[in-house]
C-alpha cells in the first residue's frame, strides 16, 4: 500500500468524526464542587529554562506533540527580544514545586528550544516522545542527535523590501550581549492554579479543557495525555508507532493531535467497559483513562498481547478496511470490529486467533442497521449498542 506524505497527515479530516449527538452527551464537567485558587507570578526566561531542566515545570511537550513550526517560534522569540508583550501562561500546581503546563506549551517549548539552540524535526516527534518518557527534560545527548533535532536559527521575514531583518538566521549564542541579556531577563506572567479541595486532581481535566485557549487548542486526547498519564497510555503510544497499525490507519506519521491514539483507547474502553457506556464519549473515555492508571503489570501485558494479536488478525486486509463510505478512517467501524474480535479472547485472558474474514467485514459495513448507527447520533447509547451487536453477529474470523 502507499502511505500518505507527512504534509497530508496534518489534515483535520483524516478521521471520521462522531456526528449528530442527541444532546445527552455534554462534555463539560460541573466545576462548582471544587475549591480552586489561582495566583499570578512573573518568571524571567532564564528561570523558566532552569525550571524545565530541573523538572519543576513539567511541559507535556514530551507527552504530546510540539506543533509550532520554526517560523512561528521565531516570531515569538523576536517579539521577546524587542520587548513586545507575550500572552500569559497557565500552570497547574500538582504539589509543592511541581507544576504542569495547562496553556502555553508551544510558547514555553519555543523559548526552551531557542536557548538550547535546537529545533525538533516534526516527523520524529512520536519516536522522540517515547524515548523521553522517563525524562523531566531533554538530555543533551538527545538534543544533539540530528535525527531528532536541527539547529534553531531564527527564520524571520524581511522587515522592509530589500532590507533583511537584523535577527534573521541568528541563534541564541550569536545574539549580541545586549539582546541576549534582554531576552534572558524578559518576564512572562504565569497564572498558577491549584485545587484546594477535595483531595486529588479531579478537576484537572476540566481546567485544561477551559483554559487551553492559546493559538492551537488541545484535542480531548491531548488533554487526557496530560491528566491521565499511565503505563497503559505508554502501551498505546508504542502501538501507535508500529508499522502494522500505521498501515491500517493509512498514515505513516502519527497524528499530531493524537486522534489515532484516541481510536485505540476507544477500542479498549468499549471492550472493557461496554456495559457502563453512557454518553458523552469524552467522559466515557476520561473515566476509562482514570481507571487504566491502576492497571497492574500483568493486566497491561495481557492487553498488549491482545492488541498485538488483533493487529495480526488484520493482516491482508485492504488499506480502506476501516474506512467509511466517505473515504475516511472510521473510529466507529474500528471499535465495533475490535470489540467483536477481542471480546471472547479478553474474557478468557487469551488472544485473537485467526484472520478477520474480509467478506464478513464488507457485509458488516454494508449492513443497513450497522451503517445507520455509524452515520447519525453516533455516540448515543442505542447506536453504540447496535453497532457492537451487529458486529458480533456478522464478523467472522477464519
Amino acid at each position: 500500500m502507499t502511505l500518505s506524505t507527512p504534509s497530508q497527515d496534518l489534515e483535520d479530516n483524516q478521521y471520521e468524526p462522531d456526528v449528530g449527538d442527541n444532546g445527552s452527551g455534554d462534555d463539560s464537567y460541573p466545576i462548582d464542587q471544587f475549591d480552586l485558587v489561582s495566583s499570578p507570578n512573573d518568571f524571567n526566561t532564564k528561570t523558566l529554562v532552569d525550571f524545565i531542566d530541573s523538572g519543576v515545570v513539567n511541559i507535556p511537550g514530551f507527552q504530546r506533540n510540539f506543533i509550532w513550526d520554526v517560523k512561528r517560534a521565531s516570531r515569538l522569540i523576536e517579539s521577546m527580544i524587542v520587548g513586545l508583550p507575550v500572552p500569559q501562561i497557565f500552570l497547574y500546581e500538582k504539589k509543592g514545586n511541581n507544576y504542569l503546563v495547562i496553556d502555553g506549551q508551544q510558547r514555553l517549548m519555543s523559548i526552551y528550544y531557542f536557548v538550547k539552540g535546537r529545533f525538533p524535526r516534526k516527523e520524529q516527534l512520536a519516536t522522540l516522545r517515547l524515548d523521553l518518557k522517563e525524562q523531566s527534560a531533554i538530555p543533551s545527548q538527545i538534543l544533539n542527535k540530528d535525527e531528532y533535532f536541527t539547529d534553531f536559527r531564527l527564520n524571520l521575514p524581511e522587515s522592509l523590501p530589500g532590507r533583511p531583518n537584523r535577527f534573521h538566521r541568528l541563534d541564541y549564542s550569536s545574539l549580541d550581549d545586549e539582546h541576549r541579556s534582554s531576552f534572558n531577563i524578559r518576564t512572562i506572567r504565569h497564572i498558577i492554579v491549584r485545587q484546594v479541595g477535595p483531595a486529588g486532581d479531579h478537576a484537572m481535566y476540566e481546567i485544561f479543557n477551559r483554559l487551553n485557549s492559546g493559538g492551537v487548542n488541545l484535542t480531548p486526547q491531548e488533554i487526557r495525555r496530560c491528566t491521565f498519564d499511565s503505563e497503559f497510555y505508554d502501551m498505546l503510544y508504542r502501538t501507535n508507532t508500529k508499522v502494522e497499525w500505521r498501515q491500517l490507519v493509512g498514515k505513516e506519521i502519527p497524528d499530531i493531535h493524537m486522534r489515532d491514539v484516541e481510536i485505540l483507547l476507544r477500542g479498549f474502553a468499549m471492550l472493557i467497559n461496554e456495559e457502563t457506556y453512557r454518553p458523552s464519549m469524552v467522559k466515557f473515555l476520561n473515566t476509562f483513562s482514570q481507571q487504566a492508571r491502576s492497571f497492574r503489570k500483568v493486566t497491561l501485558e495481557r492487553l498488549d498481547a491482545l492488541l498485538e494479536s488483533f493487529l495480526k488478525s488484520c493482516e491482508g486486509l485492504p488499506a480502506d478496511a476501516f474506512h467509511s463510505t466517505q473515504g475516511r478512517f472510521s473510529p466507529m467501524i474500528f471499535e465495533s470490529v475490535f470489540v467483536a474480535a477481542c471480546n471472547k479472547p479478553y474474557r478468557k485472558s487469551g488472544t485473537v486467533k485467526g484472520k478477520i474474514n474480509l467478506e464478513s467485514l464488507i457485509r458488516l459495513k454494508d449492513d443497513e442497521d450497522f451503517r445507520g448507527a455509524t452515520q447519525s447520533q453516533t455516540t448515543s447509547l442505542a447506536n453504540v449498542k447496535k453497532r457492537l451487536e451487529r458486529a458480533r453477529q456478522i464478523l467472522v474470523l477464519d
Side-chain angles (χ1 to χ4, degrees):
M1 64 177 291
T2 300
L3 300 181
S4 65
T5 63
S7 61
Q8 288 174 299
D9 217 81
L10 301 180
E11 296 177 359
D12 288 336
N13 64 351
Q14 175 180 341
Y15 302 102
E16 188 96 328
D18 285 306
V19 293
D21 201 341
N22 60 10
S24 62
D26 184 6
D27 293 337
S28 64
Y29 287 78
I31 206 167
D32 60 334
Q33 61 184 298
F34 298 106
D35 185 7
L36 305 172
V37 296
S38 61
S39 58
N41 290 268
D42 292 328
F43 300 126
N44 65 38
T45 302
K46 189 175 187 306
T47 299
L48 286 172
V49 173
D50 290 342
F51 279 173
I52 296 170
D53 275 331
S54 65
V56 171
V57 171
N58 181 0
I59 297 186
F62 316 145
Q63 303 171 8
R64 68 177 191 259
N65 287 329
F66 178 76
I67 58 179
W68 276 15
D69 60 23
V70 69
K71 291 184 177 180
R72 186 167 185 180
S74 295
R75 288 196 296 270
L76 172 75
I77 301 302
E78 181 190 35
S79 296
M80 296 182 64
I81 292 173
V82 302
L84 289 176
V86 174
Q88 64 189 6
I89 290 169
F90 287 89
L91 304 178
Y92 179 85
E93 184 177 358
K94 298 190 70 174
K95 55 185 176 181
N97 293 323
N98 188 288
Y99 304 95
L100 188 65
V101 179
I102 300 174
D103 180 39
Q105 177 209 349
Q106 309 298 318
R107 279 163 274 156
L108 283 178
M109 290 309 294
S110 295
I111 294 168
Y112 183 81
Y113 289 140
F114 181 66
V115 171
K116 298 298 181 180
R118 303 289 278 171
F119 198 83
R121 297 182 184 274
K122 185 162 292 185
E123 67 273 13
Q124 292 295 328
L125 285 171
T127 303
L128 179 63
R129 181 174 55 241
L130 290 174
D131 287 351
L132 294 173
K133 167 58 189 169
E134 302 300 328
Q135 306 290 340
S136 60
I138 306 180
S140 58
Q141 62 266 30
I142 298 293
L143 277 168
N144 291 330
K145 281 190 175 183
D146 290 337
E147 64 179 293
Y148 289 148
F149 292 90
T150 185
D151 290 338
F152 188 175
R153 297 183 180 276
L154 296 177
N155 189 335
L156 298 164
E158 295 181 348
S159 299
L160 292 172
R163 190 182 79 183
N165 186 303
R166 59 179 168 164
F167 301 120
H168 181 58
R169 302 304 299 164
L170 294 184
D171 58 19
Y172 178 77
S173 63
S174 61
L175 286 174
D176 60 45
D177 291 342
E178 178 183 355
H179 287 117
R180 188 165 54 251
S181 295
S182 297
F183 177 78
N184 286 337
I185 64 175
R186 276 295 312 275
T187 59
I188 300 177
R189 173 59 55 96
H190 285 64
I191 306 298
I192 297 177
V193 182
R194 180 166 57 95
Q195 180 176 328
V196 178
D201 298 318
H202 303 291
M204 198 189 307
Y205 182 91
E206 186 61 19
I207 294 171
F208 265 84
N209 193 30
R210 296 192 184 199
L211 293 185
N212 82 96
S213 55
V216 182
N217 287 347
L218 305 182
T219 63
Q221 187 56 35
E222 289 175 299
I223 300 176
R224 284 187 203 103
R225 181 56 168 167
C226 302
T227 55
F228 304 118
D229 193 24
S230 65
E231 292 184 13
F232 173 76
Y233 266 29
D234 293 342
M235 182 264 286
L236 296 185
Y237 276 88
R238 287 194 300 272
T239 300
N240 196 44
T241 63
K242 291 183 178 179
V243 173
E244 299 90 340
W245 172 242
R246 301 313 320 163
Q247 288 177 336
L248 286 180
V249 173
K251 302 288 182 177
E252 183 178 3
I253 306 298
D255 183 75
I256 200 167
H257 297 297
M258 304 185 180
R259 297 182 183 95
D260 41 15
V261 176
E262 183 176 72
I263 292 169
L264 291 170
L265 172 69
R266 182 164 165 165
F268 273 115
M270 205 61 71
L271 173 68
I272 296 172
N273 286 349
E274 174 187 347
E275 295 303 319
T276 66
Y277 175 75
R278 297 293 184 277
S280 74
M281 183 64 71
V282 168
K283 288 185 178 180
F284 177 68
L285 296 181
N286 290 350
T287 300
F288 177 73
S289 296
Q290 178 69 44
Q291 173 188 344
R293 298 176 77 179
S294 63
F295 285 171
R296 294 181 299 172
K297 182 178 180 180
V298 63
T299 301
L300 293 170
E301 291 175 349
R302 182 161 65 94
L303 296 179
D304 194 16
L306 181 63
L307 180 54
E308 181 78 18
S309 68
F310 174 79
L311 293 180
K312 288 183 179 179
S313 77
C314 296
E315 290 178 354
L317 293 179
D320 62 351
F322 295 103
H323 286 202
S324 69
T325 56
Q326 303 300 315
R328 293 183 287 181
F329 189 99
S330 170
M332 288 74 74
I333 295 175
F334 173 81
E335 81 180 13
S336 304
V337 173
F338 181 80
V339 171
C342 295
N343 186 61
K344 288 183 179 179
Y346 170 72
R347 306 302 168 192
K348 297 180 179 180
S349 299
T351 56
V352 179
K353 307 298 182 183
K355 304 287 186 182
I356 292 176
N357 180 281
L358 177 58
E359 290 184 1
S360 70
L361 178 56
I362 293 173
R363 286 198 304 274
L364 175 66
K365 292 167 64 174
D366 288 341
D367 180 76
E368 183 176 353
D369 288 339
F370 180 82
R371 192 167 61 246
T374 65
Q375 293 178 343
S376 67
Q377 296 187 358
T378 54
T379 64
S380 72
L381 178 59
N383 279 339
V384 168
K385 284 188 172 183
K386 176 61 69 177
R387 290 197 301 268
L388 298 181
E389 175 188 353
R390 297 303 291 157
R392 279 191 280 257
Q393 292 171 348
I394 297 174
L395 195 72
V396 174
L397 273 77
D398 293 329

